[in-house]
Amino acid sequence: MIVYEKDTSKSTFSHLYDLYQLGKVKDEDFPVFFENIFKFPENELNFIQQDIKPSFHYRYFSNYLFYDNNGLDVKTIVVEKDYTCLTFLEDYINYYAHCYTRYTKICRRIHLFKENFDEKQFQNMLYHGNESSYRKFWKSYLGCIVIKPLPKGIIGVTYLKTYDGDELRDRHYTAISPQIINLYGTSLELNTMPFIEQDSNVGSCASTALWMAFQKTSELFHTKKPSPSEITLLAGSDSYNTGKIFPSKGLELAQICRAIDNNGLHSELRYSENEITDRSWLQGFIYAYLKAEIPILLGIEIEDVGSHLITLNGYRFKFDTEKFSEEKFSYKSQYISKFYAHDDQTGPFSRLKFNKGTNEYFLRTSWWKANVDWSKSPQEIRNYFKEENNYYNCKPICLIVPLDRKIKIPYEEIIDKVKIIKYLFAVFFDTSFIWDIFLIKSNTYKEQVKKRVKQKKNLQKLLYTSLPQYIWVAQAYVDGYYEEPIFDFIFDSVEMPYDGKPFLSNIYSDSLKKCIDKSNVVQIQKLFSNNIENTAYKVFVETTEIMYELFRKKEKQDILVSEITTVLDQLNKNALEDTTSEITTAIANLSNKLNKINEDTVSIDRELDSNIVQIQSKADDPNQIMTDRGIL
């Protein structure tokens, strides 16, 4: 393995920074070298810094920057010795300036490069950076890590480049934005999300997760970017109203929502166990908002550890993945194999992977169970990082989406509408699509669709229609082909019309248009009709919902029949060996119940058939339907 040693070339300004470049240093010296990078000289502090080597951060950065073959592959490090961090300065004013211990406010900043260069080249980069011979060095910039002058919690504001090969691996880091870093007069830009480690004196993991989320929401919704200590103040007192804010011992769920509200946003909160422990629902909900570049706060319970809050900022698709169940996938989000999150206890873009099987703790974190033996060979250390059994598992316990107050329609209302549309295509066309459901800015959506739809004439209705700023989109694809949508339905994010009618519907496939026009299936034709009156559309949807509910009721009846039949079979086997009255009575009761269910199923079938016939006969004339139902 190749590590780094300090460049000892003399420079007039060498006392202001340290430069470490590629050198012939033994493998076993790397852990000590990297540990020293994070340390302040003892004569600059009035306390002893906690050893960083056992921490998750040290392991995470070691792997992300050096050991991981797909990582950043750092080759040169520049340590800026005198740096003022505005975020730390706010925390310093709110807390550390009042402490008796004499804390300094001067931080250090570690800059990372993928190219190898020495100090003379670095000097020329600063003075002649625009020349082609030096431009490549600046282009190799990978980010920076601020080191705070504290006993613990020393990782300050960090900007790191995401993993390479995003397109090849279908990674999507959506809640990131351009960040400008200035190094000695040279401005450098990275697309990333700022990271920071929890400082338990001024903020809990919740305050830190909020701080990271607010970096993105400030860009999206033009709200403030408070420091961790300011976020703790925004959260206010706990439920006991003790009035004590610092040192922070953690935020309750109500305090997290209060901090979001006090920062000019509202919280889309979910904590129902039935929802958030359902993989498909969890994937769909998170994906729908991340697609809009909105960061999501995910509360997790780590097995044998406790609860924690992280900031989700990306996801990865794996379309050839082994499915978690035999159920046929209906939504694109179900192909998500992992999420990426800023976890203040590990590092930026930590993986949160879906485990196979049905274990209660079905997500794998980036928290290690055991320490790494740094005396081992580089390959053995890499194997340690790759071994999945070395990481703790977790389960979700809550979701919080910080949203602009104008975005009022939740994900669930859109998914309910899609279920009805899915049912119509299944019943009348005997076909199904993969649905992509997400929130997005309307202008961004128009730009995306314009690039993906080949038959440009089919874009006219969408491009020329004035749309709300944020829209909900239900987009249909052919399974396995996700390059071009077949059709979509667009809903307003502010209000849902009482009739449930989409704001706009578009068909991008000529073949589907011809198929619908030639068919006599008026229900499908009405879905894409812009001329149908709102009241008529409401009746049409309500009638379809009746069909859908009957269909679902029949499915439940079939499941119940199967379960009762299984129990009856077992009771009949027992009755051969034991003819007690209890078993005989149980068999008789279940047989009667089964007969009653079968009678109900026949009745449901008749009602369903009758309903379909009535809709087909009257769908051409919505006024007739409304007359029959007493609306006209």
Side-chain angles (χ1 to χ4, degrees):
M1 174 181 160
I2 301 173
V3 293
Y4 303 78
E5 58 186 8
K6 183 178 178 181
D7 189 322
T8 55
S9 303
K10 292 185 178 181
S11 168
T12 307
F13 301 98
S14 60
H15 64 286
L16 298 177
Y17 65 87
D18 289 333
L19 188 146
Y20 301 87
Q21 65 175 140
L22 193 65
K24 296 180 180 179
V25 181
K26 294 180 181 180
D27 293 342
E28 57 267 24
D29 293 338
F30 172 74
V32 175
F33 157 79
F34 194 53
E35 180 185 14
N36 289 331
I37 290 290
F38 289 92
K39 285 184 176 179
F40 277 79
E42 292 184 3
N43 62 347
E44 292 185 16
L45 302 176
N46 296 307
F47 46 81
I48 298 174
Q49 280 189 307
Q50 190 177 60
D51 185 12
I52 192 175
K53 205 171 178 182
S55 72
F56 286 167
H57 298 98
Y58 179 81
R59 276 177 263 182
Y60 186 85
F61 285 126
S62 296
N63 187 45
Y64 193 64
L65 303 179
F66 303 101
Y67 286 103
D68 191 339
N69 292 328
N70 297 316
L72 298 191
D73 190 21
V74 175
K75 289 187 172 62
T76 305
I77 296 176
V78 176
V79 179
E80 190 178 355
K81 293 181 180 180
D82 188 343
Y83 177 70
T84 301
C85 175
L86 293 180
T87 300
F88 177 65
L89 196 59
E90 293 289 344
D91 295 341
Y92 183 87
I93 293 169
N94 285 327
Y95 181 76
Y96 291 104
H98 303 281
C99 296
Y100 187 74
T101 301
R102 286 180 293 174
Y103 291 100
T104 178
K105 57 189 177 185
I106 303 301
C107 301
R108 292 188 157 212
R109 191 162 59 155
I110 301 170
H111 299 274
L112 310 165
F113 295 84
K114 197 163 188 171
E115 289 287 340
N116 186 31
F117 53 82
D118 59 23
E119 184 158 342
K120 184 177 179 181
Q121 289 173 308
F122 180 59
Q123 291 287 325
N124 288 330
M125 285 165 58
L126 293 176
Y127 302 134
H128 313 289
N130 289 328
E131 294 181 10
S132 57
S133 56
Y134 300 111
R135 205 173 297 142
K136 68 173 184 177
F137 295 129
W138 289 120
K139 286 184 177 180
S140 76
Y141 189 70
L142 300 171
C144 63
I145 304 169
V146 170
I147 307 300
K148 297 184 288 187
L150 297 175
K152 60 179 182 177
I154 64 171
I155 306 297
V157 179
T158 297
Y159 302 102
L160 284 184
K161 185 178 179 292
T162 59
Y163 275 109
D164 287 331
D166 292 342
E167 290 185 8
L168 180 65
R169 293 176 176 83
D170 223 342
R171 295 193 190 106
H172 302 267
Y173 302 100
T174 57
I176 61 176
S177 54
Q179 304 292 334
I180 304 298
I181 302 107
N182 191 283
L183 174 57
Y184 297 137
T186 299
S187 291
L188 304 161
E189 183 176 306
L190 282 180
N191 268 331
T192 188
M193 172 185 273
F195 170 84
I196 197 169
E197 179 188 0
Q198 170 189 345
D199 179 352
S200 57
N201 284 321
V202 299
S204 61
C205 67
S207 297
T208 310
L210 282 165
W211 179 85
M212 293 184 280
F214 286 160
Q215 304 303 302
K216 181 63 179 179
T217 56
S218 68
E219 174 203 336
L220 292 174
F221 308 128
H222 310 292
T223 52
K224 293 181 180 179
K225 293 192 287 188
S227 68
S229 59
E230 289 173 321
I231 290 170
T232 305
L233 290 168
L234 288 175
S237 184
D238 55 29
S239 58
Y240 296 102
N241 293 314
T242 59
K244 185 178 181 181
I245 304 295
F246 302 118
S248 175
K249 298 301 180 185
L251 299 182
E252 299 168 354
L253 195 56
Q255 289 177 292
I256 295 170
C257 294
R258 188 185 303 134
I260 292 172
D261 178 62
N262 287 335
N263 199 40
L265 303 168
H266 78 259
S267 302
E268 197 69 65
L269 172 64
R270 300 291 183 278
Y271 54 86
S272 167
E273 188 173 349
N274 291 333
E275 287 181 333
I276 61 177
T277 57
D278 181 290
R279 294 178 200 251
S280 178
W281 183 91
L282 184 74
Q283 290 165 314
F285 184 91
I286 293 174
Y287 168 76
Y289 290 100
L290 279 181
K291 179 86 170 179
E293 304 181 4
I294 300 169
I296 298 175
L297 302 171
L298 174 64
I300 56 175
E301 182 183 313
I302 303 174
E303 195 171 15
D304 301 324
V305 177
S307 58
H308 187 45
L309 193 70
I310 59 178
T311 307
L312 298 175
N313 49 34
Y315 49 85
R316 179 181 177 181
F317 287 116
K318 198 170 183 183
F319 293 103
D320 59 345
T321 187
E322 182 181 335
K323 297 179 181 179
F324 300 115
S325 69
E326 296 300 319
E327 178 189 1
K328 185 178 179 181
F329 285 1
S330 299
Y331 303 100
K332 187 178 178 181
S333 59
Q334 289 176 291
Y335 288 97
I336 290 175
S337 62
K338 64 183 70 170
F339 290 113
Y340 296 101
H342 273 24
D343 183 340
D344 72 280
Q345 292 301 302
T346 54
F349 307 111
S350 299
R351 300 179 183 97
L352 195 66
K353 183 178 179 180
F354 283 91
N355 292 324
K356 296 174 184 176
T358 56
N359 192 295
E360 179 185 6
Y361 295 87
F362 59 86
L363 291 167
R364 197 203 75 189
T365 70
S366 294
W367 287 45
W368 288 273
K369 292 180 180 178
N371 289 329
V372 60
D373 185 352
W374 295 106
S375 66
K376 291 188 175 182
S377 69
Q379 188 55 51
E380 287 176 308
I381 293 174
R382 287 191 183 95
N383 292 339
Y384 163 84
F385 287 125
K386 290 178 181 178
E387 177 54 53
E388 294 192 5
N389 291 330
N390 286 338
Y391 298 89
Y392 282 105
N393 293 325
C394 73
K395 66 177 180 179
I397 53 177
C398 71
L399 281 162
I400 310 169
V401 188
L403 289 175
D404 187 286
R405 287 170 177 163
K406 294 189 292 291
I407 301 175
K408 302 181 186 299
I409 300 301
Y411 166 75
E412 290 83 356
E413 284 202 33
I414 308 304
I415 203 78
D416 285 345
K417 299 292 181 290
V418 171
K419 286 178 181 177
I420 301 298
I421 299 168
K422 275 174 56 185
Y423 171 71
L424 280 173
F425 274 98
V427 169
F428 294 109
F429 272 13
D430 191 24
T431 188
S432 61
F433 299 97
I434 295 295
W435 289 88
D436 194 8
I437 301 172
F438 52 89
L439 183 72
I440 193 170
K441 282 186 175 179
S442 57
N443 289 339
T444 303
Y445 184 63
K446 287 182 179 181
E447 291 172 4
Q448 291 180 359
V449 172
K450 192 163 60 172
K451 292 177 182 177
R452 300 175 71 179
V453 173
K454 296 175 183 177
Q455 296 160 333
K456 302 302 181 184
K457 66 182 186 321
N458 294 332
L459 286 169
Q460 293 178 353
K461 185 168 66 171
L462 172 65
L463 297 181
Y464 288 115
T465 301
S466 177
L467 297 172
Q469 182 183 18
Y470 277 91
I471 54 174
W472 278 104
V473 177
Q475 204 173 59
Y477 293 85
V478 174
D479 193 4
Y481 183 72
Y482 304 105
E483 295 302 316
E484 185 175 9
I486 304 298
F487 61 87
D488 65 24
F489 293 94
I490 294 174
F491 300 88
D492 187 4
S493 65
V494 178
E495 66 168 347
M496 182 65 71
Y498 79 98
D499 53 20
K501 185 180 178 181
F503 193 92
L504 191 67
S505 59
N506 308 282
I507 301 178
Y508 303 114
S509 167
D510 282 341
S511 57
L512 180 64
K513 273 186 179 180
K514 292 175 183 176
C515 182
I516 291 174
D517 291 340
K518 289 180 180 179
S519 73
N520 294 319
V521 183
V522 184
Q523 288 85 350
I524 301 295
Q525 293 172 350
K526 295 297 184 186
L527 278 176
F528 297 99
S529 172
N530 291 324
N531 299 323
I532 185 170
E533 295 180 4
N534 290 346
T535 309
Y537 189 89
K538 182 175 188 294
V539 173
F540 158 66
V541 170
E542 286 179 350
T543 312
T544 306
E545 285 176 344
I546 293 171
M547 292 167 56
Y548 177 71
E549 290 304 319
L550 286 169
F551 180 75
R552 294 294 297 164
K553 188 175 180 181
K554 186 175 183 301
E555 278 188 336
K556 291 177 182 178
Q557 295 282 67
D558 291 342
I559 293 170
L560 195 56
V561 167
S562 175
E563 291 174 349
I564 292 175
T565 303
T566 302
V567 175
L568 273 173
D569 289 344
Q570 186 60 47
L571 286 172
N572 284 321
K573 288 178 183 178
N574 294 339
L576 295 174
E577 302 172 3
D578 185 357
T579 56
T580 58
S581 59
E582 288 84 357
I583 289 181
T584 304
T585 303
I587 291 173
N589 290 338
L590 280 175
S591 297
N592 291 333
K593 189 173 184 179
L594 186 59
N595 291 332
K596 180 66 169 63
I597 291 172
N598 286 329
E599 291 175 5
D600 290 343
T601 302
V602 171
S603 175
I604 290 171
D605 283 335
R606 289 173 181 165
E607 189 177 353
L608 188 57
D609 291 339
S610 173
N611 197 276
I612 292 174
V613 169
Q614 288 180 25
I615 295 174
Q616 287 174 331
S617 64
K618 296 178 180 178
D620 281 325
D621 186 5
N623 290 334
Q624 184 60 45
I625 301 178
M626 291 188 283
T627 300
D628 291 347
R629 299 184 61 179
I631 297 175
L632 292 179

